[in-house]
């Protein structure tokens, strides 16, 4: 599927049930809920989304669409439209991304930089949707704005936006590959400009004379090793009857090569993944919205649950998935020591006593929406609770439970 959503701030709590864990995913939900005063239809839309009534979503420039099952046998065709950016706005946005190397690095890592959204907003480019921009439509006879089916579509797509911020770019008119190609073009142009402006070098005669003088006083370099022989297979056509494209095959080849490289360094993690875990691993690399949907369908996972595991992988790899899915019974001494250490630290961090509830490998700060999970690698994995009561991985693990707690203490609003 493809893109749309807002900037880096904790979503305001006003009684809604969260469908996204990132600030840009929550911003999409905020825009939806700010576009209408019909709380009843929004509530029914949330119910439809949680019950899996929304079919596969398709993102195209300016719209996202899906079939949504209602009370009738035949599903309705639901849409949400969003204005695309003009060419001038795209130039401004791409210039803002290219101006800071960290922006592109964050996007490729599956994160939407808050500074990028702020820079674009100040330049008059609305990358994240505003409530007045979302325009729902549906084939159902309900005249609500939005109807419950379109609302369900909006909630369901939040998880996809959560996992891949490039979906926002696609909704605004340009997909991932086009954006990356135009950024590469800007980088090449900048490098050529720098080369043209570089100061002139020394005269050739002087350079050779200096080289000859240096050679007389410098021992000869050893002979270079024989070059390694590499063979590169050209991309073959996708097998007939599949939905794979040549780009998909190239991406799979690149992924296989990267995994082989890690195996040569002794990292055998990817050899022991289940199909379900490997799908999460690929999704965590932000391969694009279409792949994200295919991966969800191939594992029969619910979008929100799959997005949660994708975040777990980004923070903790394969072990992060294990911690997210499988509670275990750890060494009681380790849990007791951690509880004592955390209790002492909380007396200094909190203004009032904070009860710690222990269950198997989990320590929960009652009433604070924070949980620490002890993994099989003896590291503590921090989690935050959303408005729906679901626990989401929130930061990388740490061997020190206090350090893991500190990493999410401010995020929880403490």
């Amino acid at each position: 599927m493809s893109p749309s959503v807002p900037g880096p701030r904790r979503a305001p709590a006003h009684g809604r049930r969260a469908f996204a864990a990132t600030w840009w995913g929550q911003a999409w939900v905020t825009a939806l809920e700010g576009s209408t005063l019909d709380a009843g239809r929004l509530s029914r839309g949330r119910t439809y989304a949680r019950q899996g009534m929304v079919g596969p979503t398709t993102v195209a420039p300016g719209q996202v669409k899906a079939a949504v099952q209602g009370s009738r046998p035949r599903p309705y065709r639901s849409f949400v439209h969003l204005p695309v950016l003009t060419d001038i706005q795209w130039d401004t946005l791409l210039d803002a991304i290219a101006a800071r190397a960290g922006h592109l690095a964050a996007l490729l890592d599956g994160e939407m930089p808050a500074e990028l959204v702020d820079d674009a907003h100040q330049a008059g480019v609305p990358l994240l949707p505003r409530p007045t921009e979302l325009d729902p439509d549906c084939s159902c006879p309900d005249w609500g704005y939005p109807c419950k089916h379109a609302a369900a579509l909006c909630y369901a797509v939040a998880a996809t936006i959560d996992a891949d911020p490039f979906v926002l770019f696609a909704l605004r008119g340009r997909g991932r590959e086009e954006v990356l190609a135009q950024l590469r073009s800007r980088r090449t142009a900048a490098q050529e400009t720098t080369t043209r402006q570089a100061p002139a070098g020394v005269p050739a005669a002087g350079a050779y004379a200096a080289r000859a003088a240096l050679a007389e006083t410098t021992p000869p370099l050893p002979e270079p090793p024989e070059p390694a022989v590499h063979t590169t297979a050209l991309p073959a056509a996708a097998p007939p009857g599949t939905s794979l494209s040549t780009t998909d095959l190239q991406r799979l080849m690149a992924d296989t090569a990267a995994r082989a490289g890690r195996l040569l360094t002794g990292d055998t993690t990817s050899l022991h993944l289940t199909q379900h875990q490997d799908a999460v691993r690929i999704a965590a690399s932000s391969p694009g919205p279409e792949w994200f949907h295919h991966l969800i369908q191939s594992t029969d996972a619910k979008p929100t649950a799959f997005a949660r595991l994708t975040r777990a992988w980004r923070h903790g790899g394969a072990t992060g998935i294990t911690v997210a899915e499988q509670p275990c019974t750890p060494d009681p001494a380790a849990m007791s020591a951690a509880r004592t250490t955390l209790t002492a630290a909380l007396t200094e961090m909190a203004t009032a006593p904070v009860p710690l509830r222990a269950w198997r490998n989990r320590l929960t700060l009652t009433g604070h929406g924070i949980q620490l999970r002890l993994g099989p690698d003896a590291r503590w994995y921090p989690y935050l609770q959303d408005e729906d009561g679901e626990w989401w991985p929130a930061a990388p693990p740490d061997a020190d439970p206090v350090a893991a707690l500190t990493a999410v203490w401010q995020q929880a609003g403490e």
Side-chain angles (χ1 to χ4, degrees), residues 56-383:
T57 53
T58 300
V59 173
Q63 75 170 17
V64 57
K65 63 181 180 180
V68 181
Q69 185 65 56
S71 56
R72 298 181 180 179
R74 186 186 183 95
Y76 297 110
R77 298 185 304 277
S78 295
F79 304 81
V80 177
H81 302 280
L82 185 70
V84 299
L85 301 180
T86 65
D87 289 342
I88 294 177
Q89 288 176 317
W90 269 113
D91 286 339
T92 301
L93 177 60
L94 292 170
D95 288 343
I97 299 174
R100 301 195 197 183
H103 284 350
L104 179 57
L107 288 170
L108 292 174
D109 197 35
E111 300 288 332
M112 174 67 76
E115 297 81 3
L116 168 59
V117 175
D118 290 339
D119 292 346
H121 178 73
Q122 292 174 7
V125 180
L127 176 58
L128 303 179
R130 297 179 292 232
T132 54
E133 291 185 304
L134 294 179
D135 183 17
D137 187 20
C138 187
S139 63
C140 76
D142 186 354
W143 289 92
Y145 193 85
C147 69
K148 57 191 175 186
H149 312 101
L153 170 58
C154 277
Y155 281 115
V157 80
T160 301
I161 293 172
D162 207 6
D164 184 5
F166 277 99
V167 172
L168 288 171
F169 291 85
L171 280 171
R172 287 299 192 181
R174 299 186 185 180
R176 176 192 182 93
E177 299 304 325
E178 184 178 1
V179 169
L180 294 180
Q182 291 172 353
L183 289 174
R184 284 193 293 269
S185 176
R186 277 169 166 74
R187 176 185 293 181
T188 300
Q191 290 173 341
E192 291 175 350
T193 300
T194 301
T195 301
R196 289 195 299 269
Q197 296 175 348
V202 299
Y208 279 112
R211 180 177 182 275
L214 181 63
E216 294 178 356
T217 59
T218 304
L221 294 173
E223 289 297 321
E226 289 295 324
V229 178
H230 297 281
T231 59
T232 303
L234 294 175
T242 72
S243 59
L244 291 174
S245 65
T246 300
T247 301
D248 295 331
L249 291 178
Q250 290 173 328
R251 185 177 288 120
L252 286 171
M253 290 171 62
D255 180 69
T256 301
R259 294 175 69 188
R262 289 193 293 271
L263 287 174
L264 290 175
T265 66
D267 181 2
T268 60
T269 303
S270 61
L271 287 178
H272 309 291
L273 299 178
T274 65
Q275 179 183 357
H276 167 73
Q277 292 171 332
D278 202 46
V280 172
R281 177 189 66 82
I282 295 173
S285 67
S286 301
E290 295 84 4
W291 273 51
F292 185 80
H293 279 293
H294 289 322
L295 291 168
I296 291 177
Q297 292 172 352
S298 67
T299 56
D300 292 327
K302 293 189 178 300
T304 301
F306 193 84
R308 185 181 300 113
L309 291 181
T310 300
R311 178 162 287 253
W313 180 280
R314 287 179 180 154
H315 285 313
T319 305
I321 293 183
T322 300
V323 173
E325 292 186 311
Q326 302 173 14
C328 63
T329 303
D331 179 6
M335 293 294 289
S336 178
R339 189 168 189 171
T340 301
T341 301
L342 288 170
T343 299
L346 286 169
T347 59
E348 299 178 3
M349 298 168 63
T351 57
V354 179
L356 273 175
R357 179 170 55 85
W359 179 76
R360 302 187 74 176
N361 65 324
R362 303 175 181 181
L363 289 175
T364 304
L365 279 66
T366 304
H368 290 257
I370 299 176
Q371 185 178 90
L372 301 180
R373 301 184 181 184
L374 181 59
D377 55 357
R379 295 190 297 171
W380 291 91
Y381 290 72
Y383 277 65

Side-chain angles (χ1 to χ4, degrees), residues 9-30:
R9 291 164 193 86
R10 193 173 177 81
H14 52 271
R16 74 158 186 267
R17 301 160 85 78
F19 278 79
T22 63
W23 65 262
W24 60 91
Q26 291 172 339
W28 170 268
V29 176
T30 298

